[in-house]
Structure formats: C-alpha cells, structure tokens
Amino acid sequence: MNFNLPEEIKEFQKAVHKFAKERMAPRAEAIDAKAEFSRENWRDLSEMGLLGLPFPEEYGGTAASPLATTIAMESVARAGVDGGTTLAWGAHTILAGVPIWLLGSNRQKERYLPKLANGEWIGGFGLTEPDSGSDAASLRTTAEKKGDRYILNGSKMFITNGAVGDLFVVFAATDKKKGNRGISAFIVERGFAGFSVGEELNKMGNRTSTTTPLYFDNCEVPEENLLGQENMGFLSVGKETLEWERSCMIAPLVGGMEFVLEECTRYAKERKQFGSSIANFQAIQHKLADIKVAIEASRLLIYRVACMKARGQSAMMEASIAKLFVTESAVRVANEAVQIFGGYGYIHDYPVERFYRDVKLGTLGAGTSEVQKMIIAAEMLKRKGF
Ligand SMILES: Cc1cc2nc3c(=O)[nH]c(=O)nc-3n(C[C@H](O)[C@H](O)[C@H](O)COP(=O)(O)OP(=O)(O)OC[C@H]3O[C@@H](n4cnc5c(N)ncnc54)[C@H](O)[C@@H]3O)c2cc1C
C-alpha cells in the first residue's frame, strides 16, 4: 500500500488549488452574502477543465481518475471557495454527468456530455420528493410509456441547481408494483413540455447554490432519454451515482476542514488573551489537534473509495463509512473552529461562520447519517463472517 500521491496528481493538485485561490476564493464572502449563484465561478471551473473531469476526452472531458477528481474537488474547497459553488459543481459533474457517462447511450453521451463538460449546460439530479427522502424508493412520480415517449407526472423536492439547470437526471416509477425494481431514470431537458421549476428555497448554508422543487405535469420525455435500462434506474443509476456522491462529492468538506484549520492556526497565533497567544493554551492546541486528526482520517477514507472505484469495485459500504465519518467530522470541526475564534467566529466577516452554516448539509443530503449507519450495518451483516 503506497500512501504517496503520484507526481502528476500532486502537480494537478497544486495547479487547481492556486487557480481556485486566486480566481474563485476572493468572491466567496460577497456571493454568500447575496445568496447568488456565481456565473463567474462557473466560467472559472470550465476554464480550468474541472466541469467534465471524469468524462472521456472524446466527450470533452479530461478522463481524470476518480482519485484525481476527488483531489480537484478537495483542492478547490481548500482554497476557501464557498460550499454552494462546490455543491453546484458536484451536482452537475457527479450527479448528472457521471450517470450519463457510465450508463448513457452513445447518443446521450454525444448530446449531453460535451455541453456539461464546457459548462454551456448545467446539470442536476432529481431523486428526492416532498414525501420520499430517506425512503427514496417510495417515490410517487410516475412515468407512463405512450408511443415513443414517457409521460412523467409528479414532483421533486430540494433539487440542487434547480433554478439554473438545463438538464436533470430524474427518477420515476415505471412499474409501481415492483418497488425499487420498478423505477427508471430519465434525462429531462428544461425545455420539455410539462416541465417546470418551483420557487427557490431560502437555505441556512450553501447559499450560492440554488435549491428548488421540480414539477412534472404530463411532461413528455422522448423514449431515447431513458437512462440505462427500464425499471433498473434505482438499482443501477442510483447506486453508481450515490457511491460517487458519498466519496468524491464530500471531498470539498475535507478541503474545507483544511482551509478552516489554516484559518484557526493563524488566528490562534495572532489572538492574544491573558498576555499570551491563545495558541499557547492547551485547550486550544487540543482543538487544533482534533481538527488535524479529523482531516487526515477523512482524507484516507475518501481516497480509499476513489481507488476502489478506479478498480471497478463496488464500494457501497466504504462510501457510506466515508460519508458518515467525513460529514460528522466536518460538523464537529466547524463547531470547534467557531469556538477558537470566540465571538468573532459568530460574525459573517469570518469564513469559519460560513463553514459552520455550509457543512451541516453534509449529514443530511445524499442519505442522512442515520441512513449511512443503516447501509453500513446491512452491508456488514451481508458479508461473510458476520
Ligand atoms: C440543500 C439541499 C440540497 C439537496 N440536493 C438534492 C438534489 O440535488 N437531489 C436530490 O434528489 N435530493 C437533494 N436533497 C435531498 C436530500 O438528499 C434529502 O433531504 C435527504 O435524503 C433526507 O431526506 P428528507 O429531508 O426527506 O428527510 P427524512 O427522510 O424525512 O428524514 C427525517 C429524519 O428521520 C430520520 N430517518 C428517516 N428514516 C429513518 C430510519 N429508517 N431510521 C432512522 N432514522 C430515520 C432521518 O435520518 C432524519 O433524521 C437536498 C437537500 C438539501 C437540504
């Protein structure tokens, strides 16, 4: 087992971090205050070739490995870029792009991946509904085949990139009786008849990403927009996407913790109380040490999943372990970071305050912490020896 990153990945990591620090991070505070999706950040991600990272070159991507993709997402967040931007990027590249790349037809890949890779189109992923969150397979949206189209009826809730998205990978029941074996995935373009987007939700954090409901009122989806096999959407598209989501897409939390550690260390050295830098107090040093341990352990867990994905291995349990540990660690780290900053940590001008609001989503989205524990226990009990 070699824990050293290959030289070319280290170079890539450095270049992405430098670019994000110089170009994107300076916007973080202002766009968060305005709760505004940043087209400038989007152009920068596109210019750096980051929007289509894992897609093959023939479709406009960079053919980056899952590890390189994970490291890019970590590096952008480590530069201090806001959580909403990295969330929008993840929903676009990982949640919309990856399933089209891995399970799409040649026509779908040719039509959609180049537009996603260059940022001309923005993608999103619609699984959650108003009445089905953790129990996602109980969704109520239906898709009925009529001639050469599917007619979708129902709604989705909490969809990242809803207000700005041009296409969405959407899940709907094609055979209600079959439960999770009767759900299909579709690529729905914004302009399809019967599709509409609801009002933006006003969120606690990740405020530069847009979150909306989606509505399907006899929405007409051409049959060639069925993604993967009919009835297998939940088990193939959903499973593949969620493994990426629970590793690669949480990499910004690892980068964010590293950014926060740098901020805390600098502040602890500068801030004086009782005639000494607060960094000299053991209580503060313990917090810094706890943050460092959380970062190192989190990083190993997400890199492990990336390496398993590169080898084509299923990583259901490992991705859930990573997701659970990283997101819960990030919430604890955010809490300690605000504590180190004292009253200043509670004020908008300091990035630890933004991090505190942004990271909570980690324990909720892509399956809550309770759901990750259910998956880990179920996978463990299925494996030999338990
Ligand atoms: C900002 C934001 C962006 C999002 N983006 C997307 C997106 O792009 N696409 C998308 O499809 N979804 C998205 N989501 C939805 C997200 O994935 C869901 O919110 C999440 O899956 C939880 O579902 P829920 O909110 O309905 O909670 P519920 O499922 O109602 O859960 C409520 C509570 O009950 C607990 N619970 C539920 N079942 C069990 C059980 N069996 N045992 C123990 N505890 C249980 C949960 O852990 C939680 O604590 C987003 C959500 C937010 C807030």
Side-chain angles (χ1 to χ4, degrees), residues 87 91 95 125-130 132-135 157-160 203 211 361 364-371 374:
L87 173 65
L95 299 185
F125 180 84
L127 175 63
T128 306
E129 299 190 355
S132 69
S134 301
D135 185 11
M157 186 56 174
F158 296 130
I159 306 308
T160 302
K203 303 190 295 295
T211 313
L361 177 63
L364 304 171
T368 62
S369 293
E370 291 78 6
V371 166
M374 280 164 53

Side-chain angles (χ1 to χ4, degrees), residues 101-225:
W101 157 46
L102 292 176
L103 295 145
S105 63
N106 285 339
R107 181 199 161 272
Q108 290 168 349
K109 289 191 257 197
E110 276 159 20
R111 176 163 170 76
Y112 297 117
L113 290 183
K115 288 194 179 81
L116 292 178
N118 69 19
E120 184 188 338
W121 277 27
I122 297 178
F125 180 84
L127 175 63
T128 306
E129 299 190 355
D131 295 313
S132 69
S134 301
D135 185 11
S138 69
L139 54 77
R140 294 183 187 175
T141 298
T142 54
E144 199 186 334
K145 185 90 191 280
K146 282 208 174 137
D148 61 355
R149 19 210 71 214
Y150 287 88
I151 307 298
L152 267 60
N153 278 293
S155 64
K156 297 289 167 184
M157 186 56 174
F158 296 130
I159 306 308
T160 302
N161 289 340
V164 292
D166 300 284
L167 76 80
F168 298 89
V169 170
V170 170
F171 293 78
T174 28
D175 190 342
K176 262 284 181 209
K177 297 183 298 295
K178 290 192 180 153
N180 66 8
R181 293 183 175 274
I183 294 171
S184 305
F186 300 91
I187 303 170
V188 177
E189 295 183 19
R190 194 179 195 88
F192 284 177
F195 173 76
S196 61
V197 174
E199 285 289 303
E200 244 184 81
L201 302 168
N202 189 3
K203 303 190 295 295
M204 171 201 287
N206 295 292
R207 290 177 62 77
T208 64
S209 67
T210 69
T211 313
T212 67
L214 306 180
Y215 301 115
F216 307 89
D217 181 9
N218 288 320
C219 173
E220 295 182 23
V221 179
E223 64 183 347
E224 61 264 27
N225 277 37

